[in-house]
Amino acid sequence: MRRLSLSLALVAGLIGAATLSSAAMYCLDFGGAESAVQDGFIRVTPAMVGGQDAAGWVDGSHLLVRDQPFTEYEGAEGSKVPPPCWTCPLSQDSVISDQPAELVIRVPDGTYHVWVLCGTSYPYRSQYFDFDIESGSATKPVRFEDSYQFRQAYLDVKAVGGEARLTFRPRSLFAVAGLVLYQDADRQRLLGTILNPVRELIDFLPPAEAAKWKQVQPTDATPWPAIPEADRQRGYVIHQRHWAEVVYPDTVPLAAEMNPQLRAFACPGEYEPLNFIVYPFRELAGATVAVSDLRGPQGSIPASAWEIRRVRYMRVRPNYTTIGQFKLAPDPLMPMDPLQPLPGRTNTRYWLTVHVPEPAAPGTYTGTVTFSPRGAAAASLPVRLRVLPLRLQEDPEKLYGIYYYDPLDEWASAKDEVSKAYFLQKSEWEMADLIAHGTRNVTTSLWAAPAKDDEPGTFSFNFDLFQKKVDLWQRFGLRGPFVVAVNASGIYRKYTGQDLGSHIANATLPPPEYAQELTAMCQAIETERVRRGWPEFLYYPIDEPSTGAGAIAFMTETLKAVRAAGVRTYVTADPTLDGFAPLRPYIDVWCTQPFLPARDELLKDKAARPVDYWCYPNHINGENDHTPVNGARMTYGFGFWRSGFTALIPWIYRADVGDPWNYLSGRMSDFFNRTEDSGRPIPVAMWEAYREGYDDYRYVFTCKQLIAQSRQAGGKSAQLAEEAQKTLDYVWGRIRVQPKYKDQDLWAPREADVYRWMIAEQAVRLEELVN
C-alpha cells in the first residue's frame, strides 16, 4: 500500500476530471447528502442504489457517513495550530461499515483500472481498519491504524453488462473516501493531473498552508570529487558516512568515502549497524539490497542475521512544538520496498543491522553486500565483521527506561476482536523492540476519577488491565521501580473547580480534602501493588511544575500527601533551580532533563540522604530536529557513565498526534519511532543510536568487571588489570562533560568507535586470562 494524505491542492488537480457520463475517467466521492463534493467528481451516498443511479450501493443501509473537514489551523481559545490532518472535499468524508458492501458503477463494458482512496479524517481511536477490496477474483488488502491518514489501493475491475462491481469486505471496519475508474489511455492523466501533484506537495500541505512555512535547509557546498568512469557508466555512486553522521539529500561524498568496505566489530548477541549511500545521476526505478553469508574461520554468520532498511527523509520541525519552519532530514528506517524509486541526484541511505548470533565463534567474517538497481548494473561492497571473544554484561545499578504509550490501553478500549488482536500484537512487538535496544523500564499510569461524594476513598481502577501489563513486562524482562502517574490534577479540579494550567502555573493552595483524597488514592494503589506482588512504584502526581509561588505551595502539599501513603515520590524538575528548594525534603527521585547537578554534587547528596537522580534527555528525543544522532549515542553511553545518574528515561518511544507520516500536521510533531500498518515498529536513527550508547556503556561495565576479577586473581592478571584501568581512566578523562550531549562539542562518531575499541581490547585481554 502507498501512503497518501490528501490536501486542498488536489482540488485544482481534479477539476479536469469528468463525470461518469462524459469521459472514460469515472470519479466518485463517497459521503452524505450534505457533504462537500470534490470538483470533477460525482456524489455517491449510502441512499444511492447502483441499479438505479449511475453509481451506488447494492445495500447502503448499514453504511455510516463520517464527515470531518480540516482545512484551516485551529486550536483552543483562538490559538493557531495545525489540524491533525488537512482535508479536501474528497478526503473529509468517508463511508464506513463493519459489514460487506458492494458498489455498482454503470460504465461501458471493458477492463478498468481502479484507484481507491481509503481512510478517514473522523477521529477514531483504538481502531484498526482491516478490509479487502474485491473485484472478481482479485483482492487488495488495506490496513491502517486509527484516523487522520489515508491509503491508496490499485486494482483492476471488469465491467460486464454495463456494470463494474467492487466489494468492500471488512474484517473489522472499512473506510473509503472515493475512487477513480480509468483505462490505459487515461493512466498518465491520472498520475500527472491527479496524483503526482499531490505527492510533490510539501509533506502534503495545502498551498495556502505551505506558504506559511519556511524551509530552513542546510546545503553542502563541498566540491564533488572526481567520479570514477565505472561509476559514471553504471549511473550512480556508492559512498559511506559513519552511521551517526547526518546525511542530507545533497551531502557530497569525499573521495575516500566512495566504494567503501563495510567494517565493524561486535560481540556475540550484540547488534551493530553499518550503512552505505547511493547517489544516482538519474532516477532509478527501484532496487534490492542483499547481504551474503559471512564466512569465518570456524563457521559463518547467515544472511538472515542482517536487517536491511532504507532511510526516509521527512520534513521535520526544529522542535516538536515549533510551527512555521522545517527542513528535510533523515528519520525513519523504512522496511525495504524494491519497487520504490531512488530519485536522481539525491542520496538514498541503506541501513544494515547485524545481530551477531550467540554461538558465533571469535574471528573475522567476510562477505559482500550487493546493491541491485532496476535498469542499471549491480554493485557489490566487501563486508568485514570481527567477532570478539567477549560476552557483554549489563550494570544492574543502571536503568535504561523510556516514557511509553502502551498499546494495551488501546487493546482495552478497542470495540472489535480484530482491533484487539492488532493492539495486543503491537504491544508484544514493541516490547521485544524495547528489549532489543537495551530498554528495561517504561513509565505507566494508574488513572481513576476522583472518588464520588457518597463513596469517599473508593476509586475505579482497572487493576486487571494493569496486571496484564505487568505480566508482559515480566515476560520480556523489564524491571522496576516503575514510574506510575496518578490523577492529582483531577482531584484538584474536584475541590477547586479550576484547572492547574500549563506547568501548574494556575495552582493555588487547595483545601485539606484534596490532600486527604490524594493520600487515599495512592494508598489504594499501593495496597493492590503489595497484594499482587508487583514491583515498586514511584508515584508521579504532576509533570514539570514551575517555580512560581503558587506552584511550589501546591507541590509541597501534593508531595506530602503522596508521602503520607507510605510511598516514594517522583518529580520532573531541575534540582539546581533555587525555586525548587522547598520541595527537596519531599522528593525521593529527581528526574531532570539535563545531567544536573554535576556528578560530585549528586553523589554527595545521594550519600547524605535517601534520594536518587534520573534523567529524561528530551534534547535527543522530541525536542530537536531529529538529527542529534551522535548526541544520542553520547548521552546513552559515555555521557551516562560519566554523569553519576541512575536512570535514563526520555520522552517518548512513540508519539502520534495527527497523521503519523506528516510531521507538519497536528498541534505538535509526531515523532520518534513509527509503526508499520501491520503494527510492527519502525525505528528512527536516534533510536538506533540509543542502542549503540547502551552498548558503549556495556563495554565499559564489562571491562570494569573483568578488572575486578583480574585483581582478585593476582599475578599477571592483576598487572593487566592495572593497564586496563589506565585505559578506562584515559577515556574517562577525554569525555567533554556537558549537561546535554546534543550536537555541540562532541567526539566525532569515529572517535567514539576508537574509544570503544580501546576498552574492548583491554577487556578481551583480561577475558582470555580469567575465564
Side-chain angles (χ1 to χ4, degrees), residues 505-563:
N506 299 336
T508 58
L509 200 61
E513 290 81 5
Y514 162 81
Q516 294 166 9
E517 185 162 333
L518 181 55
T519 299
M521 178 179 281
C522 294
Q523 284 175 333
I525 296 172
E526 187 65 9
T527 298
E528 192 71 11
R529 182 196 72 79
V530 173
R531 187 181 76 81
R532 295 190 183 228
W534 293 337
E536 182 194 4
F537 293 166
L538 300 174
Y539 285 76
Y540 182 21
I542 295 294
D543 184 56
E544 293 187 333
S546 69
T547 57
I552 294 300
F554 166 76
M555 282 300 297
T556 301
E557 294 307 306
T558 296
L559 295 174
K560 285 181 180 179
V562 174
R563 279 275 195 86

Side-chain angles (χ1 to χ4, degrees), residues 422-450:
Y422 166 81
F423 288 112
L424 182 61
Q425 180 64 81
K426 181 180 180 180
S427 181
E428 296 203 356
W429 278 334
E430 288 189 351
M431 197 58 56
D433 187 50
L434 288 162
I435 293 298
H437 284 78
T439 304
R440 302 293 181 260
N441 183 275
V442 295
T443 63
T444 186
S445 67
L446 264 167
W447 190 93

Side-chain angles (χ1 to χ4, degrees), residues 384-464:
R384 183 182 180 91
L385 176 66
R386 181 173 177 179
V387 176
L388 304 181
L390 197 62
R391 299 284 169 173
L392 295 180
Q393 303 177 48
E394 290 190 5
D395 185 348
E397 296 183 1
K398 296 288 188 182
L399 189 60
Y400 288 90
I402 200 161
Y403 277 71
Y404 185 56
Y405 293 145
D406 197 326
L408 286 178
D409 292 320
E410 306 298 320
W411 168 84
S413 301
K415 301 296 191 296
D416 62 79
E417 292 305 314
V418 171
S419 294
K420 281 187 173 293
Y422 166 81
F423 288 112
L424 182 61
Q425 180 64 81
K426 181 180 180 180
S427 181
E428 296 203 356
W429 278 334
E430 288 189 351
M431 197 58 56
D433 187 50
L434 288 162
I435 293 298
H437 284 78
T439 304
R440 302 293 181 260
N441 183 275
V442 295
T443 63
T444 186
S445 67
L446 264 167
W447 190 93
K452 297 178 181 178
D453 291 339
D454 58 347
E455 294 181 298
T458 302
F459 307 96
S460 298
F461 292 106
N462 191 341
F463 287 126
D464 290 339

Side-chain angles (χ1 to χ4, degrees), residues 229-416:
E229 185 59 30
D231 292 355
R232 289 189 179 278
Q233 291 295 325
R234 71 187 181 191
Y236 58 90
V237 166
I238 295 182
H239 60 108
Q240 184 192 50
R241 287 281 168 94
H242 191 282
W243 60 264
E245 293 188 62
V246 179
V247 174
Y248 291 103
D250 68 341
T251 295
V252 177
L254 303 177
E257 297 170 337
M258 297 169 64
N259 297 313
Q261 180 184 58
L262 309 187
R263 302 166 60 101
F265 68 88
C267 298
E270 185 181 354
Y271 294 84
E272 189 63 23
L274 292 167
N275 80 100
F276 67 90
I277 304 146
V278 177
Y279 186 93
F281 302 128
R282 58 175 176 79
E283 180 177 293
L284 300 176
T288 59
V289 175
V291 182
S292 70
D293 293 346
L294 302 188
R295 303 294 180 182
Q298 300 182 50
S300 64
I301 294 176
S304 59
W306 293 84
E307 182 180 59
I308 304 171
R309 293 181 175 270
R310 174 173 165 168
V311 182
R312 175 174 172 176
Y313 294 108
M314 301 291 291
R315 288 176 172 85
V316 303
R317 309 183 195 191
N319 180 288
Y320 70 109
T321 57
T322 299
I323 296 172
Q325 290 187 359
F326 72 91
K327 72 176 180 181
L328 201 62
D331 194 46
L333 312 183
M334 302 298 295
M336 287 292 293
D337 178 358
L339 299 181
Q340 183 180 4
L342 281 71
R345 300 195 176 279
T346 299
N347 286 307
T348 295
R349 192 177 208 173
Y350 292 96
W351 192 289
L352 289 63
T353 303
V354 61
H355 185 198
V356 181
E358 291 285 355
T364 299
Y365 295 76
T366 58
T368 57
V369 55
T370 301
F371 171 73
S372 303
R374 298 175 66 194
S380 292
L381 300 173
V383 179
R384 183 182 180 91
L385 176 66
R386 181 173 177 179
V387 176
L388 304 181
L390 197 62
R391 299 284 169 173
L392 295 180
Q393 303 177 48
E394 290 190 5
D395 185 348
E397 296 183 1
K398 296 288 188 182
L399 189 60
Y400 288 90
I402 200 161
Y403 277 71
Y404 185 56
Y405 293 145
D406 197 326
L408 286 178
D409 292 320
E410 306 298 320
W411 168 84
S413 301
K415 301 296 191 296
D416 62 79

Side-chain angles (χ1 to χ4, degrees), residues 447-513:
W447 190 93
K452 297 178 181 178
D453 291 339
D454 58 347
E455 294 181 298
T458 302
F459 307 96
S460 298
F461 292 106
N462 191 341
F463 287 126
D464 290 339
L465 171 59
F466 201 86
Q467 181 68 61
K468 192 173 186 68
K469 294 180 181 180
V470 173
D471 290 343
L472 189 67
W473 299 343
Q474 292 179 335
R475 175 153 61 91
F476 278 89
L478 298 192
R479 60 186 176 90
F482 292 99
V483 176
V484 176
V486 294
N487 189 20
S489 60
I491 300 174
Y492 178 86
R493 190 179 305 112
K494 171 184 174 179
Y495 287 106
T496 66
Q498 303 293 325
D499 287 325
L500 289 166
S502 176
H503 300 283
I504 64 170
N506 299 336
T508 58
L509 200 61
E513 290 81 5

Side-chain angles (χ1 to χ4, degrees), residues 202-217:
I202 303 172
D203 244 3
F204 309 116
L205 290 173
E209 301 301 332
K212 302 175 184 178
W213 291 73
K214 180 180 180 181
Q215 184 170 0
V216 184
Q217 190 72 28

